[in-house]
Amino acid sequence: MSVIEDLTRSLGEAVVLTGDRIAERHRSDASLTGRSLPKAVLRPASVAEVAAALRICDGHRQSVVPQGGMTGLAGGANPAACDIVISMERLSGIEEIDAAAATMTVLAGTPLEVAQRAAEDAGFLLPIDLGARGSCQIGGNLATNAGGIRVIRNGVARDNVLGIEVVLADGTVVSSLNKMIKNNTGYDLRQFFIGSEGTLGIITRAVLRLRPLPAGRLTALCALDSYADVVALLKRAQRALSGLSAFEAMWESYFRFNCEAEGRQFFETSPAFAAIIEQDSRGQDGEREQFEAFLGQALEDGLIGDALVAQSEKEAQAFWRVREGHAMDRLLPSLVNLDLSLPIGDIGRFAEECGRALSARFPPAHVSFFGHVGDSNLHIAFSVPDAAQETAHQVDAIVYPLVAAYDGSISAEHGIGTLKRDFLDHSRSEAELDVMRRIKHALDPNGILNPGKVLR
Amino acid sequence: MSVIEDLTRSLGEAVVLTGDRIAERHRSDASLTGRSLPKAVLRPASVAEVAAALRICDGHRQSVVPQGGMTGLAGGANPAACDIVISMERLSGIEEIDAAAATMTVLAGTPLEVAQRAAEDAGFLLPIDLGARGSCQIGGNLATNAGGIRVIRNGVARDNVLGIEVVLADGTVVSSLNKMIKNNTGYDLRQFFIGSEGTLGIITRAVLRLRPLPAGRLTALCALDSYADVVALLKRAQRALSGLSAFEAMWESYFRFNCEAEGRQFFETSPAFAAIIEQDSRGQDGEREQFEAFLGQALEDGLIGDALVAQSEKEAQAFWRVREGHAMDRLLPSLVNLDLSLPIGDIGRFAEECGRALSARFPPAHVSFFGHVGDSNLHIAFSVPDAAQETAHQVDAIVYPLVAAYDGSISAEHGIGTLKRDFLDHSRSEAELDVMRRIKHALDPNGILNPGKVLR
């Protein structure tokens, strides 16, 4: 019996889609690099169905690609024509919010924004947040250990997961739905699966940690003269602002490009660096005054050249629109967004050196830098008009060796997938890769789970 | 050639101690349950020596027990007579503090307090903190994923480690000394080794995350009527106090015992519950007033019956002395300190039920409860006069099944070691244990590393 027949007999035709019933959206994640539709798409509606599907596929040595909201940027959810996709979209819903424990138990296919709203309705903040919140799913957020803009306060996805349920390649359901903040009973199984990009198991449920919902936010946009000043301001903000929830830096060309595109002029002259500082508010008296006093002192000390404090939610959003760079889309389809991590003190020097190298090789290119500097995370926006197909590879070949020379990471938050896989040795030693291969073989001996992703 | 001869030829007699040269301190950790001295103690002074030692031991299929400061409470560092101990005490020292990245690179044998002081001297807080700070070592703190009293603000040991270097059983050095907060380049190898109690590899170096040093601390002792009020106060403190750094609860019998022993009377009558609330101060105006206003409101709302705000560091220390329970030592040697974790909302009911069960079985026993309630962590102090040797086992046999019934954890922060190993299935399913065994076999196929600890 073929694997498709076996799956159909066990799960039914409603779950097993083939041929014309396979939707186009299963071809590629948001990197748009996927080329093939899979030979089948499974749409399980229960953990038992996920387990049955994997057990059958493992028996047939059939490769399986898990898919969430398809918002990844590293090709991690792209199938080959010989793969079977397991789409998590029907395994969706919030199962419990425990107000005393401050936890949410949720199915993996739940869209992030749905989970965020449910948390807010219960008076909590779900701190995982990223631009793709409307379509990305919790399972994918955990499988890629998603980052985002508020990591400086509450950490990456990994730091907000208390418990996890996973189906292994052989169909074993490993349920580790812990609700406790401290739990030292043996190896921390959560950690093995979070960030493993679907190569070690398929996440089916999670217990997420909730935080107090801030009463509001205070947001400032600052103009600075140098990267050294950016780091000094970050340090000072971390000391003085106990509710610091975001610290974002934009290099001159990025800030100017986006201000012009949005038709905004925040400062008289375009500063060498712009930074957004955001603080959670507790709704107490004097918070805004303290925030403004902090900025006033930085101004007086010459650390910043100018600062604007948002007087309304709308003004704060105007700052964030520039940072989020929606206007960069006009550089599509040639736009490349690199996602790097470097020791915070070295980011300024790295950006200079990297910008010079890219501009030398591609003189007409747009190259600009921005990032979650407080989390050591730098993004590069790169675009050349009429780019050839191999341009992205040439950019990688310039940037990644430089990242390695700075002891940086070639992926801060996007993951490895297929697009960065062949560069993984720029950030990981052979000994590290060998440990990863040993773990992979221990948990997926037949190699059916998302083959070719992360590891070759 | 015997393993001892092989080791001595390779490492020299200064590193390889046998016979009378083995000190008594290598017999047992602080649980005092270790019975044997090992057949040799190795004292490597470099990572290369650790690697050489493991390579030789692995070749001889010689079991190895890593030892740090011997302050563990689960028997995890106790050797058998046939084991060889690797003591990390000579692999000590701070290698770098990177102020821009806010990181410290440290050798595993460095005492925690030495690392804490070095961080303070550089203007930072190293958030890992526990009572044994004077003698415990960083490597041991990470191997056991240490908790402590300030987890509510900065997390457990795991959350404060950015990079790690480990020697595997076969002597391979895996160096993953990342300094970045975000790094999604493949599996997160740190996480495999942190909390694995020396069974997967020996930690030799770490990059620790530093935080801003608080300007001071505000501390209050509150009297409450019920556990429901304790949880309500915790929730309110988490919302209102952005610098909340500790939230500790004491049940009536624990609070009364320790107040009496210390000769202190904080409240007119002994309250059903006492809680310590501590907030980091940023040295800004109005912080004390806000803290007092928070307590005043809780008092007005009837959530607390009374509250004392420490007016000096000395007063704060007096609150903490009661919580730390130094006076409990007079119940030694029969004192048992259980370390459990339960969903925060269930801790009150659990403590009632557990207290009843223990008092029914041991009518003359002292049974009292206290803990890091904000981290879901409950401790039980238990003591019977003239306890028989098997009493501890009888206590375990009463408490752990009840923990399992509440979906709790039999170890919040002490780890499993040998003392909780045979109860691990009360908190972990067979599927979870099977994944642990697979990982163990993948990284230590000959089973030489700390055999019999964590897993049977």
Side-chain angles (χ1 to χ4, degrees):
Chain A
M1 187 162 30
S2 79
V3 62
I4 302 289
E5 286 165 346
D6 208 350
L7 287 164
T8 308
R9 201 164 64 166
S10 170
L11 299 169
E13 288 201 345
V15 173
V16 185
L17 310 186
T18 57
D20 291 351
R21 296 174 71 208
I22 297 178
E24 186 55 33
R25 69 176 183 280
H26 297 291
R27 188 185 299 271
S28 182
D29 68 10
S31 71
L32 306 180
T33 55
R35 296 284 166 261
S36 311
L37 286 177
K39 77 175 174 191
V41 170
L42 312 183
R43 300 175 71 242
S46 69
V47 175
E49 285 183 349
V50 176
L54 281 172
R55 196 167 51 242
I56 291 167
C57 288
D58 198 43
H60 286 269
R61 306 293 187 266
Q62 168 60 51
S63 56
V64 169
V65 175
Q67 288 189 346
M70 301 303 275
T71 63
L73 289 165
N78 293 351
C82 58
D83 293 333
I84 287 181
V85 156
I86 298 191
S87 169
M88 303 301 285
E89 58 202 349
R90 290 173 70 206
L91 201 71
S92 173
I94 310 249
E95 299 194 310
E96 187 203 39
I97 292 180
D98 180 335
T103 59
M104 169 189 286
T105 306
V106 64
L107 287 163
T110 310
L112 173 57
E113 197 166 35
V114 171
Q116 287 175 331
R117 284 197 187 143
E120 279 177 34
D121 289 347
F124 288 99
L125 174 75
L126 172 61
I128 303 170
D129 192 23
L130 55 156
R133 63 186 74 82
S135 37
C136 66
Q137 298 172 5
I138 295 291
N141 296 149
L142 304 195
T144 57
N145 186 31
I149 55 170
R150 294 203 173 87
V151 167
I152 199 170
R153 181 145 174 81
N154 291 311
V156 292
R158 180 184 303 286
D159 302 313
N160 293 289
V161 179
L162 293 176
I164 205 166
E165 180 186 77
V166 172
V167 183
L168 300 183
D170 64 8
T172 307
V173 179
V174 183
S175 194
S176 209
L177 292 169
N178 165 68
K179 279 188 185 179
M180 283 86 69
I181 290 165
K182 287 184 183 166
N183 186 351
N184 277 347
T185 46
Y187 309 158
D188 190 340
L189 301 184
R190 292 175 298 184
Q191 309 295 347
F192 296 1
F193 299 100
I194 298 171
S196 71
E197 303 186 34
T199 64
L200 299 181
I202 297 185
I203 297 169
T204 47
R205 277 188 176 90
V207 180
L208 304 176
R209 184 173 178 182
L210 304 177
R211 314 273 175 160
L213 192 62
R217 289 194 166 117
L218 296 162
T219 314
L221 180 67
C222 306
L224 301 101
D225 280 344
S226 70
Y227 183 74
D229 287 347
V230 172
V231 174
L233 183 65
L234 167 67
K235 297 287 140 188
R236 202 185 267 209
Q238 286 178 317
R239 263 165 226 283
L241 306 175
S242 60
L244 184 70
S245 56
F247 188 98
E248 300 284 315
M250 294 166 265
W251 275 244
E252 196 272 343
S253 63
Y254 183 87
F255 185 65
R256 185 166 36 83
F257 181 94
N258 284 285
C259 284
E260 283 172 8
E262 299 277 345
R264 296 254 172 200
Q265 186 174 3
F266 293 107
F267 304 112
E268 275 186 28
T269 56
S270 186
F273 289 85
I276 293 180
I277 301 182
E278 186 192 77
Q279 177 176 231
D280 282 353
S281 151
R282 303 271 158 166
Q284 289 166 340
D285 291 344
E287 284 178 319
R288 175 172 287 271
E289 292 70 19
Q290 279 182 6
F291 188 65
E292 289 176 348
F294 167 79
L295 294 167
Q297 189 63 52
L299 204 60
E300 197 174 302
D301 297 343
L303 199 52
I304 55 179
D306 202 353
L308 305 168
V309 179
Q311 300 300 318
S312 65
E313 180 60 28
K314 201 176 154 200
E315 261 188 55
Q317 279 171 8
F319 299 168
W320 278 111
R321 269 197 73 80
V322 170
R323 163 60 189 83
E324 285 171 4
H326 300 283
M328 303 304 286
D329 286 355
R330 67 179 60 172
L331 299 177
L332 284 172
S334 80
L335 181 68
V336 175
N337 177 351
L338 287 111
D339 164 47
L340 311 172
S341 192
L342 298 143
I344 291 168
D346 300 336
I347 289 180
R349 259 186 326 124
F350 172 87
E352 271 178 43
E353 193 171 340
C354 187
R356 270 200 305 273
L358 287 171
S359 297
R361 173 66 187 76
F362 301 99
H366 169 94
V367 185
S368 64
F369 299 88
F370 59 105
H372 322 290
V373 168
D375 315 326
S376 60
N377 187 176
L378 180 72
H379 291 288
I380 309 177
F382 176 90
S383 167
V384 275
D386 311 314
Q389 270 218 334
E390 64 276 17
T391 305
H393 296 292
Q394 292 169 349
V395 170
D396 290 347
I398 290 172
V399 175
Y400 293 152
L402 198 58
V403 172
Y406 275 79
D407 286 333
S409 154
I410 62 163
S411 180
E413 54 184 12
H414 294 174
I416 296 300
T418 51
L419 298 181
K420 296 190 176 186
R421 187 194 62 193
D422 295 341
F423 294 97
L424 187 52
D425 62 358
H426 285 63
S427 287
R428 293 291 187 190
S429 67
E430 190 44 48
E432 290 177 282
L433 294 174
D434 184 58
V435 172
M436 293 184 202
R437 280 185 219 110
R438 289 202 219 180
I439 300 287
K440 168 72 176 172
H441 185 72
L443 295 183
D444 178 19
N446 298 320
I448 67 156
L449 275 174
N450 221 3
K453 311 297 165 60
V454 185
L455 299 168
R456 218 168 282 148
Chain B
M1 187 162 27
S2 79
V3 63
I4 302 289
E5 287 166 346
D6 208 349
L7 287 164
T8 308
R9 200 164 65 166
S10 171
L11 299 168
E13 289 201 344
V15 172
V16 185
L17 311 185
T18 55
D20 291 351
R21 298 174 70 210
I22 297 177
E24 185 55 33
R25 69 176 182 282
H26 297 290
R27 189 185 299 273
S28 182
D29 68 10
S31 71
L32 305 181
T33 54
R35 295 285 166 261
S36 312
L37 286 177
K39 76 175 174 192
V41 169
L42 312 183
R43 299 176 70 242
S46 69
V47 175
E49 285 182 348
V50 176
L54 281 172
R55 197 167 49 243
I56 291 166
C57 288
D58 199 43
H60 286 269
R61 306 292 187 266
Q62 168 62 50
S63 57
V64 168
V65 175
Q67 288 188 348
M70 301 303 276
T71 63
L73 289 165
N78 293 352
C82 59
D83 293 333
I84 287 182
V85 156
I86 298 190
S87 169
M88 303 302 286
E89 59 202 350
R90 290 173 69 207
L91 201 71
S92 174
I94 288 143
E95 299 195 310
E96 187 203 38
I97 292 180
D98 181 335
T103 60
M104 169 189 285
T105 306
V106 65
L107 287 163
T110 310
L112 172 59
E113 197 167 36
V114 170
Q116 287 175 331
R117 284 197 186 144
E120 279 177 34
D121 289 347
F124 288 99
L125 174 75
L126 172 60
I128 303 170
D129 192 23
L130 54 157
R133 64 186 73 82
S135 37
C136 66
Q137 298 173 5
I138 295 291
N141 296 150
L142 304 196
T144 57
N145 186 31
I149 57 169
R150 294 203 172 85
V151 167
I152 199 169
R153 182 146 175 78
N154 291 310
V156 292
R158 181 183 302 286
D159 302 313
N160 293 289
V161 179
L162 293 176
I164 206 167
E165 182 187 76
V166 172
V167 183
L168 300 183
D170 64 8
T172 306
V173 179
V174 184
S175 194
S176 208
L177 291 170
N178 165 69
K179 279 188 185 179
M180 282 87 69
I181 291 165
K182 287 182 184 167
N183 186 352
N184 276 347
T185 46
Y187 309 158
D188 190 340
L189 300 184
R190 292 175 298 183
Q191 310 295 347
F192 295 0
F193 300 99
I194 298 171
S196 71
E197 303 186 36
T199 63
L200 299 180
I202 297 185
I203 297 169
T204 47
R205 276 189 176 89
V207 181
L208 303 177
R209 185 174 179 182
L210 305 177
R211 314 273 174 161
L213 193 61
R217 288 193 167 118
L218 297 161
T219 313
L221 180 67
C222 306
L224 301 101
D225 281 343
S226 70
Y227 183 75
D229 286 347
V230 172
V231 174
L233 183 65
L234 167 66
K235 296 287 141 189
R236 200 184 268 211
Q238 286 179 317
R239 263 165 226 283
L241 306 174
S242 60
L244 184 70
S245 56
F247 188 98
E248 300 285 315
M250 294 167 265
W251 274 244
E252 196 271 344
S253 63
Y254 184 87
F255 185 65
R256 183 165 37 81
F257 180 95
N258 283 286
C259 284
E260 283 171 7
E262 298 278 345
R264 295 253 173 200
Q265 186 174 4
F266 293 107
F267 304 111
E268 275 185 28
T269 56
S270 186
F273 290 85
I276 292 180
I277 301 183
E278 187 193 77
Q279 177 177 230
D280 282 354
S281 151
R282 304 270 158 165
Q284 289 166 342
D285 292 343
E287 284 178 319
R288 175 171 287 271
E289 291 70 19
Q290 279 181 6
F291 187 66
E292 290 176 348
F294 166 79
L295 294 167
Q297 188 64 50
L299 204 60
E300 196 174 302
D301 297 343
L303 199 53
I304 55 181
D306 202 352
L308 304 168
V309 179
Q311 299 300 320
S312 65
E313 180 60 28
K314 200 175 156 202
E315 260 188 56
Q317 279 171 7
F319 298 167
W320 278 111
R321 268 197 73 80
V322 171
R323 162 58 189 83
E324 286 171 4
H326 300 284
M328 304 304 287
D329 286 354
R330 66 179 61 171
L331 299 177
L332 284 172
S334 81
L335 182 67
V336 175
N337 178 350
L338 288 111
D339 164 48
L340 311 172
S341 193
L342 298 141
I344 291 170
D346 300 336
I347 289 180
R349 259 187 324 125
F350 172 87
E352 270 177 42
E353 194 171 340
C354 186
R356 269 200 306 271
L358 286 171
S359 298
R361 172 68 187 75
F362 302 100
H366 169 96
V367 184
S368 64
F369 298 88
F370 60 106
H372 322 290
V373 167
D375 315 326
S376 59
N377 188 176
L378 180 72
H379 290 288
I380 309 177
F382 175 90
S383 167
V384 276
D386 312 314
Q389 270 216 335
E390 63 275 18
T391 305
H393 296 292
Q394 292 169 349
V395 170
D396 291 347
I398 291 172
V399 174
Y400 293 152
L402 198 57
V403 172
Y406 275 79
D407 287 333
S409 154
I410 62 162
S411 180
E413 55 184 12
H414 294 174
I416 296 300
T418 51
L419 298 182
K420 295 190 176 186
R421 186 194 63 193
D422 295 340
F423 294 96
L424 188 53
D425 63 357
H426 286 62
S427 287
R428 293 292 187 189
S429 66
E430 190 44 48
E432 290 177 282
L433 294 173
D434 183 58
V435 171
M436 293 184 202
R437 282 185 218 109
R438 289 202 219 180
I439 301 286
K440 168 72 175 172
H441 186 71
L443 295 182
D444 178 18
N446 298 321
I448 67 157
L449 275 174
N450 220 4
K453 312 297 165 60
V454 185
L455 299 169
R456 217 168 283 150

